Each structure stands twice: as C-alpha cells, then as structure tokens.
Amino acid sequence: MRHLLFMAVLSALLGIVPQPEKVEEMKGNFRIAGATFNCEMSLDRESQNLISEFADRLAMISDRTVSFAPSPTLRSNAASGLLKGVCFLLDKDKISGEYSLEVTPKYVLVFASDFYGFTYALQTIRQLLPPAIYGTSPAPGEKWVLPCCKITDKPRFAYRGLLLDCSRHFFKVEEIYRILEIMNVYKLNRFHWHLSDDQGWRIEIKKYPMLTVAGAYRSGTQIGRERGSSDGIGYGGFYTREEIRSVVAYARKLGITIIPEIDLPGHMQAALAAYPELGCSGGPYRVRTGWGVSDQVLCPGKEETFAFIEGVMDEICDLFPSEYIHIGGDECPKTEWEKCPDCQARIAALGLTSHNGVSKEQRLQNYVTERVQKYLASKGRRIIGWDEILEGELAEGATVMSWRGTAGGIKAAAAGFDVIMSPNIYCYFDHSQSTELSKEPLGPTQNPKRAIPLEKIYSFEPLLNMEAGATSHVLGVQANLWTEYIAEPSHLEYMLLPRLLALSEVQWCNKEVRDYDRFRAEVAGHQSAILNIMGYTFRPVD
Ligand code: TNX
C-alpha cells in the first residue's frame, strides 16, 4: 500500500497528460542536449523522419548539436547492454500506438511497433522536457535533461476524436493546423471535419462549382441567441482542394486521420441554395443565417439527388484517404417529404410503410443511408452517421456516433454496430465551461446544469451501463466543437482548452489511472506552461 502511494506521488511529478498506463520514476537524469539519436535500420521512413525532425528541433531549442542516424548495430548493442544516446527500436509484439520508454543516465530506450507508437513516445518525451521545447526560440539556459524513469503505455480506445464545425463559422487553414498540433500533443488521432451545413458549404467540389460560389456565403449571421435576427454582414469562405490536400498531409504527419463529414440528407440548405433542384419544392433557398434545424432538406424522390451525392463523394474520396466517411444523418425533418410527390412516389415504389412506430418517411431516410453506404462501400469506404441513423433499420457495417447521450451508442453496440461515444451532456465543447454563465462567453448554454466544466468531461466513463459483450464495439470517444456562437480563433481555443486535456484522459487512460486531483494539478502547472508557450488561448483552471 505504501509502495503504491509512493508511486502515485512520483508519477504525478512527471506531469504527463494523458497519464501513461504505468510510470516508475528513478533517481538521476539523462542529458538529452547534445545526445545522439539512433534507430534500427528497419524503422519505416515516416518514423525515421519523425525522429529526425524531433532531433532537429531539440538541437535548435537547446542550441546544442543533436545528431540522428539509423544504426545497423543497435539491436545487438541493446542485447549486450551497450546502449548510448536515445535509441528507437521495433517491438512487433506491441499494438498500434503502444510504446515503452526507459530513461537511464546512459541511454534512453524506446520500443514501439509502428509510427503511432513512436509518435506517442516522442510526445511523452516532449512532456518530460522543459516547456521551452514547445516554443520556437532557442532556450539554451534550460535544464535539458530527462528524469530517469520507466514508462509503459498504450491507448484505451483506438478512436480518439475531435469534431470541428467549420460551417457555422469558418476557420482558416492556419487555425486548423493549430488544432491538429494541440491534438497531437495530447495523443488524439481523429479529426472529424464538419464541412457542410445549412449555414455554409466549405469544400470546393469541381463538379458542382456553385456549392462554393453560392453555397459558401450567407447574407448575415444571427445576433446572439435572438432567433430570426441577422447582422446583415455577408459572411463565408471555403477550403480549396489544394488547402484540403495540405491539411490532410499535415495531419498524417501528426498521426491524425481526417474524417470528412458531408451531412445529409438534412443540414443541406446551403447546398440547396446552390442547386435548388435538389430540394422537394425547387426553392428558391438561401444559405441559412440563423441557427437551429432547417426543414429544407435534400429530396430523395429524385434520382438527380443521388447523382449529386455520388459526385460529391467521388471527390471527397479522392481528397481524403480515410476509411471512414461521415455522412451525417442527424436532424432531418420530414415535413417536405410528406408533401413531396417525388418522395411519395419513391416511398410507394420501394413499398415502404409506417410500422413499429417508424414512419414511412423515416424509412425513406434509411433508404438514403443504405444507398450512400453501398456507394461508398464500392469505393472501399465505410460510413459513420449520427445516432438518428439507428431509427428504423440500419445496414450492417455502419458505425454509429452517439450524440443524444449514450443511449444510442449502447443500443447500437448491443445490436452489433461499432460505436463512437460523443454524448452531448459530456462532450459538447460549445457549451459553457462554468456554471457561472454570465462570466463565460455567450453560447448555447442557458441552464447552468448544461454547463460542461473540466471535471464533468473528466468524469465521463464511456462504457458505463454497457453489457460486457458489447464493449468491444466502442471504438472510442469524441468531443464536438460546434461553432454557432464561436467566430474567432481565440474564442475557439478558449472553448477547447483545457477541456481537450480532460478528453484525452477519457480517450487514452484506463479508469484506474484517472484521478481528477492529479490531473487538475498537472493542468494548472506544467500543462498550462505548455499551452502558454504554444500561444493558445485557454480557460484558467478554477
Ligand atoms: C446538435 S450534434 C447538432 C448540431 C448543432 C449542435 C449544437 C448534431 C448531430 N447536431 O447541428 O451544432 O447540436 O450544440
């Protein structure tokens, strides 16, 4: 017991977030400034580049030469205990992302089986160094040593995501890079990019140029929470194909997969403004200026609608290598479909009926989901959809993102679907970080009970109330940063930080390792220093 307590105290001192699975601190230090970095010859090119870039950065910041070279004798040296410098070796028995790190006064030894494992090992090493390593200017006066320790570590969940809504407000590529960089520090690996919605279409599609010519701009923006208001100031923007490609490549270097979302068949008013023939009434439509749910949705009665979706998906698949494509599926009112002769004709032709409490129009949405799922499957891709896709019938192979609490996720996992937990009560970073709403920026939170303080997100247990047999279907956890009320990058970062750090422990750490007091102290101390030196805006810890 005393021994356990002692270890807990020592591991707290290392100040790593997310907390590694096992940490043992020993006496002494390893001098890393001026060290040689070596790796096995057989390490893949991406991992070698990663290590080499880290060594270059350390050299620049510590103002000492740090060399890097693959070494043919490293493995035999390791076997005979002759290691020197910082050594990176392969251990094929480790799972993707897993690593071990041993720091002694003579050497640092890292084992991993893949690029992700080396990525996380380096992030851990970075957190063991003075915060100046996160800066851009030389800091030769800092103590460039690593504390002697033994760490073994691996992620609890394979999917560790963050959604950014770039439709309600548009964020330039530079800001996207900053979000990816901070995700990298805290070992997140999926960036869910919400690229289309009623209030703006944000990605260039060659086949449908009006999507960005018309669909990317709105005539104004709702003022505060006042429904129906507009500031009358034109607003918009979109990402070019080149920009998308560079963001995807940058994310890849950081070990992050980008999952694009084209939200359909609801949340499509901006696309309808560009191509009104895709709606039930034929329009005219305007890019929406206010928040909330639009009843103007795609018309699945017409074949052109599917030609459009497929044309868009062709280009999405061309730009994004991700196996998963998010197709939305949330909040799709059926009022237009009920009145639309084309939709009703399609319902009749398919023989869809209202039964078991599911309307024939909901079954028409199931048809849309399945048809798009099949099309994407023909291109080797899989779909993720919001939990509404569970209503009625869902075809095998779909992954459900549970946002209306965890109930949808629990139900989906029990039915054999893969699940990503993103419940709005814990994971909606558009909500206030404090119950003292008047002291926080204006947002959607009107009831203090809906606030999501740091401790609340930290307390989220993704597998609670789930049958043991279903838990393996939970791929992971994601937080969603919706931006109806967030227009500026500094506000965006404020909403994200430090909650992203709490999220990272929910995603990465086993339950037993999590400890709010330790975490809070680390955030208030070392982690705040990191965020400061990286220049992020963040909410100070209470
Ligand atoms: C619900 S989560 C939405 C979003 C909003 C968000 C605001 C989801 C699938 N739909 O469209 O931005 O609430 O909190």
Side-chain angles (χ1 to χ4, degrees):
M1 185 62 199
R2 278 188 68 174
H3 177 65
L4 273 179
L5 270 178
F6 185 53
M7 278 197 25
V9 170
L10 279 179
S11 66
L13 295 177
L14 286 179
I16 303 163
V17 170
Q19 173 74 8
E21 192 173 49
K22 272 197 209 127
V23 180
E24 205 182 318
E25 196 178 355
M26 276 107 59
K27 279 209 195 101
N29 288 312
F30 173 83
R31 282 183 170 281
I32 198 167
T36 45
F37 279 55
N38 330 278
C39 75
E40 274 190 277
M41 308 291 283
S42 52
L43 244 67
D44 61 275
R45 176 106 334 258
E46 280 181 319
S47 297
Q48 292 202 22
N49 288 342
L50 187 77
I51 297 164
S52 148
E53 277 170 29
F54 184 86
D56 286 348
R57 189 180 178 84
L58 179 65
M60 193 273 283
I61 306 276
S62 65
D63 207 13
R64 292 280 306 275
T65 312
V66 180
S67 65
F68 168 68
S71 151
T73 54
L74 194 57
R75 185 159 286 264
S76 54
N77 289 351
S80 47
L82 290 172
L83 289 172
K84 261 179 66 188
V86 187
C87 309
F88 295 84
L89 281 94
L90 280 171
D91 174 359
K92 284 293 173 198
D93 290 336
K94 290 195 163 31
I95 63 163
S96 178
E98 181 177 4
Y99 67 92
S100 65
L101 170 67
E102 183 188 356
V103 180
T104 75
K106 286 210 174 99
Y107 63 84
V108 174
L109 181 55
V110 174
F111 278 109
S113 67
D114 65 358
F115 171 74
Y116 302 100
F118 291 115
T119 298
Y120 304 139
L122 283 171
Q123 289 306 326
T124 294
I125 289 176
R126 230 173 146 199
Q127 289 204 22
L128 291 171
L129 291 171
I133 190 71
Y134 292 90
T136 47
S137 25
E142 294 285 344
K143 239 179 128 206
W144 292 107
V145 299
L146 290 174
C148 290
C149 62
K150 267 189 191 169
I151 294 178
T152 53
D153 199 12
K154 61 175 180 300
R156 179 180 184 194
F157 294 107
Y159 183 115
R160 302 180 301 280
L162 175 73
L163 169 145
L164 181 63
D165 168 10
C166 290
S167 172
R168 277 55 176 272
H169 283 99
F170 177 70
F171 296 91
K172 294 200 180 85
V173 164
E174 292 68 39
E175 187 57 26
I176 307 295
Y177 285 164
R178 281 175 64 76
I179 302 288
L180 293 170
E181 281 159 15
I182 201 67
M183 287 173 68
N184 179 232
V185 173
Y186 297 105
K187 304 184 171 90
L188 275 74
N189 65 355
R190 297 287 185 274
F191 180 66
H192 172 170
W193 205 356
H194 190 75
L195 288 163
S196 69
D197 215 306
D198 300 317
Q199 294 83 1
W201 185 281
R202 303 286 176 230
I203 176 168
E204 180 187 7
I205 302 290
K206 275 189 303 189
K207 189 167 179 195
Y208 296 102
M210 291 304 283
L211 285 173
T212 42
V213 171
Y217 298 92
R218 60 179 182 248
S219 63
T221 300
Q222 175 176 320
I223 304 163
R225 289 201 205 101
E226 215 182 305
R227 283 187 178 261
S229 67
S230 167
D231 62 11
I233 303 167
Y235 182 90
F238 66 91
Y239 306 104
T240 64
R241 294 166 58 80
E242 294 68 41
E243 284 175 319
I244 297 276
R245 285 214 161 91
S246 53
V247 171
V248 169
Y250 190 69
R252 188 192 160 102
K253 280 188 70 172
L254 301 178
I256 299 169
T257 302
I258 301 196
I259 299 179
E261 178 184 357
I262 299 297
D263 200 345
L264 64 93
H267 289 276
M268 268 282 170
Q269 199 177 310
L272 293 181
Y275 294 98
E277 62 275 20
L278 302 175
C280 293
S281 71
Y285 305 96
R286 298 175 335 128
V287 180
R288 196 172 162 94
T289 52
W291 318 131
V293 177
S294 168
D295 52 14
Q296 300 303 316
V297 303
L298 287 180
C299 173
K302 304 191 183 87
E303 267 312 289
E304 297 93 289
T305 301
F306 291 96
F308 168 78
I309 295 172
E310 290 173 8
V312 168
M313 289 304 175
D314 287 343
E315 293 189 32
I316 292 289
C317 290
D318 181 38
L319 290 168
F320 296 94
S322 163
E323 181 189 8
Y324 288 96
I325 307 290
H326 202 300
I327 64 163
D330 60 316
E331 300 175 325
C332 179
K334 310 292 189 291
T335 40
E336 292 294 295
W337 296 2
E338 283 160 9
K339 301 186 293 210
C340 169
D342 293 326
C343 288
Q344 292 304 320
R346 170 87 71 189
I347 285 172
L350 293 168
L352 304 178
T353 58
S354 304
H355 58 275
N356 296 345
V358 179
S359 70
K360 55 192 197 316
E361 286 76 19
Q362 174 57 39
R363 298 202 181 269
L364 182 58
Q365 183 171 346
N366 295 158
Y367 168 77
V368 176
T369 305
E370 189 167 348
R371 195 162 157 182
V372 179
Q373 180 179 3
K374 278 197 183 130
Y375 186 72
L376 286 169
S378 76
K379 300 166 89 67
R381 310 300 178 103
R382 304 178 63 185
I383 63 158
I384 305 177
W386 298 109
D387 57 45
E388 283 93 334
I389 64 171
L390 268 178
E391 291 164 21
E393 267 161 71
L394 182 61
E396 208 184 310
T399 296
V400 175
M401 196 168 260
S402 189
W403 73 277
R404 296 172 298 178
T406 51
I410 291 172
K411 192 174 146 204
F417 294 102
D418 284 347
V419 165
I420 295 150
M421 289 294 193
S422 190
N424 48 5
I425 44 173
Y426 292 102
C427 294
Y428 271 41
F429 285 3
D430 51 336
H431 280 281
S432 177
Q433 301 195 62
S434 159
T435 51
E436 286 185 87
L437 301 178
S438 60
K439 295 195 177 154
E440 294 297 314
L442 184 87
T445 324
Q446 283 172 281
N447 178 347
K449 285 195 184 131
R450 286 295 312 274
I452 305 179
L454 192 62
E455 194 165 2
K456 171 120 190 180
I457 161 74
Y458 197 83
S459 73
F460 176 46
E461 169 42 44
L463 302 183
L464 194 71
N465 297 332
M466 193 167 279
E467 285 167 38
T471 54
S472 64
H473 280 299
V474 180
L475 304 182
V477 177
Q478 176 174 295
N480 299 338
L481 190 43
W482 301 105
T483 59
E484 284 92 338
Y485 297 89
I486 306 169
E488 296 303 323
S490 59
H491 184 186
L492 188 74
E493 292 175 7
Y494 179 88
M495 300 309 282
L496 188 61
L497 298 165
R499 286 187 291 196
L500 179 84
L501 283 69
L503 173 74
S504 80
E505 295 220 343
V506 175
Q507 296 168 325
W508 183 276
C509 304
N510 288 321
K511 259 197 302 216
E512 304 72 50
V513 167
R514 269 152 61 186
D515 167 355
Y516 187 70
D517 292 335
R518 184 250 331 138
F519 169 78
R520 199 204 147 280
E522 282 165 6
V523 175
H526 184 219
Q527 301 301 324
S528 290
I530 293 173
L531 296 177
N532 271 325
I533 206 154
M534 291 180 87
Y536 286 94
T537 303
F538 62 98
R539 187 180 190 279
V541 184
D542 289 318

